[in-house]
Amino acid sequence: MSENLDALDARLLLLLTDSPRLGVLECARRLGVARGTVQARLDRLTERGILGGFPPELDLAAMGYGLTAFAWLEIAQGRRAEVTEALSAIDEVCEVHATTGQGDLFVRMVARGNDDLQRVIDEVVGVPDVLRTSTSIALSTPVPPRVRPLLERTARG
């Protein structure tokens, strides 16, 4: 059974979201708690799977992947594990979600441009047991991936 975050957990995660390179001692100082408290909270958040690490935030467009696309995939029944394994081998596939509704899998992918996107789509369509795809190109990202509002609400209590 998972327990909810408390306000201190949320404040700690907000602090690390804003400054992921802060050490435990500096986090304790800024939060007004003991170093051991911060370390115990980090350990517990990691054990519970809430805190998975501190990867850098990368701008894919600045790296040359300025085109983002989403695809709904219909796949052969019972073949999700095999299809997702094959999709994970395509470097430009950034996320795959198993879904309900119009498709079986929802895929976020990136490309360097339209010609490159065609190559990526061809790779996706070439995965065995992918029956049909429907792809859309993202024109902009007005709300990027985020968790801050949830953390802020929890931090307020």
Side-chain angles (χ1 to χ4, degrees):
M1 181 167 129
S2 70
E3 52 188 276
N4 292 329
L5 294 178
D6 66 15
L8 181 57
D9 289 333
R11 289 176 41 225
L12 175 58
L13 291 170
L14 281 167
L15 184 60
L16 291 172
T17 297
D18 292 340
S19 303
R21 297 178 65 177
L22 285 181
V24 172
L25 189 59
E26 182 59 19
C27 287
R29 186 188 70 73
R30 291 188 188 188
L31 294 170
V33 298
R35 179 199 177 286
T37 300
V38 169
Q39 188 61 61
R41 296 288 180 125
L42 288 172
D43 291 345
R44 193 177 83 238
L45 291 167
T46 302
E47 287 169 10
R48 290 171 53 200
I50 294 170
L51 181 60
F54 299 93
E57 184 178 323
L58 303 175
D59 183 332
L60 292 172
M63 293 172 50
Y65 293 93
L67 196 146
T68 298
F70 298 93
W72 287 106
L73 275 59
E74 292 180 26
I75 62 173
Q77 286 190 349
R79 305 301 292 178
R80 186 179 68 219
E82 295 83 357
V83 172
T84 55
E85 183 178 341
L87 291 171
S88 69
I90 301 171
D91 295 339
E92 294 82 2
V93 170
C94 299
E95 292 178 64
V96 178
H97 300 269
T99 62
T100 62
Q102 68 181 3
D104 301 305
L105 299 174
F106 187 64
V107 178
R108 180 174 69 95
M109 60 189 101
V110 295
R112 295 186 181 278
N114 289 340
D115 290 341
D116 193 39
L117 178 60
Q118 183 63 63
R119 177 191 58 78
V120 174
I121 291 170
D122 289 344
E123 283 190 54
V124 169
V125 172
V127 169
D129 298 312
V130 170
L131 305 176
R132 185 173 297 119
T133 66
S134 175
T135 305
S136 297
I137 294 174
L139 300 176
S140 67
T141 306
V143 179
R146 63 194 184 124
V147 295
R148 173 172 286 285
L150 300 172
L151 291 172
E152 288 173 346
R153 180 191 310 156
T154 303
R156 287 190 302 267

